[in-house]
Amino acid sequence: MNRDLHTRFGRDITGLPALRQQGEQEFAARANELSAFMRERDRAPEAAAAHDAAEARLGSWLDGQRAADRRGRLSPHRADALQGVLGRGWSSAR
C-alpha cells in the first residue's frame, strides 16, 4: 500500500484530522519572525525552555521544520531560507 493511501486510511480509522500543509506566505511570515527573534535575542527560539508564549510558538514551529527536514519533507527552498537565518547546521542545532 502506498504511503498516501496508508495515511488516508489511518486518518479515516482514527478520526484524526489531516495535517495542514503550510503555505508559502505563512512560511515566509514565520521565517521573518524567526529572523527578527534572532536579531533581537541573538539566539534561536526554544519551545521547551521559552521565556514567553511567542517564543514557545516560534520554537515549536522551528522544531517542526527540523523534523520535516530530517524526514526529507522540507523543500530545498525552505531549507535554504532557514539556513540563511540560522546558519549552517540549523536542522541539527538544538
Side-chain angles (χ1 to χ4, degrees):
M1 181 180 322
N2 75 27
R3 181 183 222 169
D4 293 332
L5 191 56
H6 184 269
T7 299
R8 192 181 99 216
F9 285 148
R11 297 215 181 277
D12 288 345
I13 291 168
T14 63
L16 293 172
L19 296 176
R20 187 177 64 81
Q21 192 72 6
Q22 184 180 44
E24 286 302 316
Q25 287 181 330
E26 188 178 355
F27 176 85
R30 293 300 146 264
N32 286 335
E33 278 184 54
L34 178 61
S35 182
F37 183 95
M38 294 287 294
R39 278 192 310 274
E40 291 169 9
R41 303 189 193 190
D42 199 32
R43 64 178 177 82
E46 299 180 35
H51 294 101
D52 55 52
E55 179 181 0
R57 183 177 52 80
L58 193 55
S60 180
W61 175 82
L62 183 55
D63 287 348
Q65 301 310 300
R66 287 178 174 137
D69 189 54
R70 282 191 302 273
R71 291 190 308 267
R73 293 189 166 192
L74 190 67
S75 73
H77 165 75
R78 291 182 179 193
D80 288 346
L82 291 170
Q83 182 174 327
V85 174
L86 297 165
R88 278 200 134 150
W90 72 269
S91 64
S92 61
R94 286 237 137 198

